[in-house]
Amino acid sequence: MTLFKPSPNFSIPGELKYLALSVSLFLVTGCGTTLKTVTPTQADHPYKKIALTVINTHGELRDFSKQSFDSIVNPVFNNLKDMQIRTTLEEMFTRKLSSPATSIIKSSDVFKIHENVSYNDYLNRLQSSGAEAVLIIGLSTSWGSQTSTTHHNDTVTGSNPNFLFLYYLVDLKTAQQIWLGNDRVIYRAENVSAGDVNRALYKSGYISKPVSNTAN
């Protein structure tokens, strides 16, 4: 699974340029998200500082206990293999969630690669950074969806990857999940709608009003 675009160092034969343009337009206009949210706990005030943690795992966090952290979060939240994925998503969500009233703290700025971190250490260090909550962004799974493009009566079929993102907003004082999100993202994974998450958190009262440029 990769989040990143292929190297631009390739050429497209002339007869395929029209097809490539059609596919590119499909990817731009056809990509989308279907964010669904659950709010187990109603917000009593917006958070001023939220940390981000990105995990690439098939595991689902049913709670944020020590057992869940040790088995699902700890093995992948600062591992070397997923460093580029985390960087991409952290940058994207930082841009979308940041506002004059909301500061974002990246877990990569708090924890080193491959650093051994206990459950209590994780919570305490994020709190020491000033964060009041942590948004855990889970890249959960991927699958293919059939596509077809017709040009001059010739139909080309293929498959675009789909991604499932699971979001968990955890209050750092109580270690309770207070907001959950489920988002199916159609190729590419960079198209994950951080703007939709931003607006959903605002509507739930967990962040202050987003800045105006939060379009997808």
Side-chain angles (χ1 to χ4, degrees):
M1 181 189 310
T2 178
L3 290 174
F4 303 99
K5 299 178 181 178
S7 169
N9 297 322
F10 64 92
S11 60
I12 301 176
E15 65 270 20
L16 293 180
K17 286 184 178 180
Y18 181 90
L19 176 59
L21 176 60
S22 299
V23 173
S24 296
L25 289 175
F26 170 79
L27 295 180
V28 171
T29 60
C31 67
T33 64
T34 54
L35 177 65
K36 304 296 182 183
T37 64
V38 178
T39 308
T41 304
Q42 295 298 315
D44 53 11
H45 68 280
Y47 290 116
K48 295 181 180 179
K49 286 190 177 182
I50 296 177
L52 299 178
T53 290
V54 177
I55 55 175
N56 183 7
T57 176
H58 294 295
E60 183 172 342
L61 287 171
R62 302 300 294 269
D63 56 30
F64 201 67
S65 62
K66 180 180 184 300
Q67 180 180 358
S68 294
F69 175 81
D70 289 342
S71 62
I72 297 174
V73 178
N74 202 21
V76 293
F77 90 98
N78 66 344
N79 62 340
L80 180 62
K81 179 176 73 70
D82 297 325
M83 182 173 64
Q84 291 183 316
I85 294 174
R86 288 196 303 272
T87 299
T88 297
L89 292 175
E90 281 186 338
E91 291 294 335
M92 183 182 308
F93 275 83
T94 296
R95 289 195 304 269
K96 291 295 185 179
L97 296 179
S98 295
S99 74
T102 306
S103 299
I104 301 301
I105 299 167
K106 305 173 187 176
S107 287
S108 59
D109 291 336
V110 180
F111 306 100
K112 297 177 181 179
I113 294 291
H114 281 174
E115 180 182 7
N116 290 322
V117 179
S118 70
Y119 174 68
N120 287 332
D121 193 26
Y122 174 87
L123 294 175
N124 292 335
R125 287 170 62 178
L126 287 184
Q127 288 186 68
S128 297
S129 72
E132 302 163 281
V134 55
L135 178 63
I136 300 174
I137 303 164
L139 178 53
S140 177
T141 188
S142 65
W143 66 97
S145 61
Q146 199 71 20
T147 64
S148 63
T149 304
T150 302
H151 175 57
H152 293 324
N153 297 322
D154 293 327
T155 300
V156 177
T157 61
S159 178
N160 278 340
N162 293 241
F163 300 91
L164 178 63
F165 281 83
L166 301 178
Y167 303 108
Y168 313 87
L169 185 65
V170 176
D171 183 275
L172 286 172
K173 287 186 178 179
T174 65
Q176 297 298 309
Q177 295 177 351
I178 52 178
W179 180 90
L180 306 170
N182 177 307
D183 201 0
R184 174 176 173 261
V185 181
I186 304 174
Y187 184 82
R188 313 179 177 264
E190 289 99 326
N191 291 327
V192 57
S193 185
D196 283 351
V197 173
N198 189 2
R199 285 183 286 272
L201 288 174
Y202 166 62
K203 290 179 180 178
S204 297
Y206 284 111
I207 63 173
S208 299
K209 186 175 182 179
V211 292
S212 59
N213 61 343
T214 55
N216 295 343

